[in-house]
Amino acid sequence: MNDDIIEVRAVDQATLDGLNAWGWVSYVLHLIVAITAVLPGAQVSVAVLLIALVIDLVKRSDAVGTWHASHFTWRLRSMIWAGVLYVVTAPLWLLFIAPGWIAWCVISIWFLYRIVRGMIAMNKQQPLPV
């Protein structure tokens, strides 16, 4: 017996198209940050990540009850976890350069994986597990 209840609301096509467009903008911004985080010396400004964060926070309420809602949650959780992990492993850079670099590479690859997985699901118009 499945006790999970998912509330679905009727949404017009224009709203879904708008959510789709904003979702792709956010995913592309996250992808830029994720790729440049893996490449040494190519880090982009934190402003790009903040723009994606603002988009996700502002548009998240519009997506409630649609498959897009899982994507907003997915991107926000990915960014928050990556940020926390970067902060927690930052002292490794101060104490030992190599472990800090390795830790940040692993975090960046994980972040890149999450963004690409979300983009693939969005392209298929599928929700993500959250």
Side-chain angles (χ1 to χ4, degrees):
M1 181 172 182
N2 191 354
D3 293 331
D4 294 336
I5 297 173
I6 299 173
E7 184 178 327
V8 179
R9 65 182 174 101
V11 180
D12 62 346
Q13 189 60 40
T15 302
L16 288 176
D17 291 343
L19 289 171
N20 206 34
W22 282 113
W24 279 113
V25 168
S26 180
Y27 270 126
V28 168
L29 292 175
H30 280 91
L31 185 65
I32 290 168
V33 171
I35 289 173
T36 60
V38 176
L39 301 174
Q43 286 75 23
V44 296
S45 171
V46 175
V48 174
L49 197 57
L50 291 176
I51 291 169
L53 174 67
V54 169
I55 289 171
D56 288 339
L57 289 173
V58 169
K59 290 296 184 180
R60 186 178 187 185
S61 62
D62 295 345
V64 172
T66 69
W67 62 269
H68 284 283
S70 67
H71 286 270
F72 284 96
T73 302
W74 180 266
R75 286 189 302 266
L76 288 168
R77 285 184 182 169
S78 298
M79 189 171 49
I80 290 168
W81 273 108
V84 168
L85 291 171
Y86 283 130
V87 169
V88 168
T89 58
L92 292 175
W93 281 100
L94 301 174
L95 302 173
F96 314 101
I97 301 233
W101 181 79
I102 292 169
W104 281 28
C105 281
V106 170
I107 296 166
S108 298
I109 290 169
W110 172 82
F111 185 58
L112 181 61
Y113 161 77
R114 296 265 303 185
I115 297 308
V116 170
R117 182 174 176 202
M119 291 176 86
I120 291 170
M122 187 154 174
N123 192 47
K124 293 178 180 180
Q125 297 183 352
Q126 296 175 339
L128 288 163
V130 289

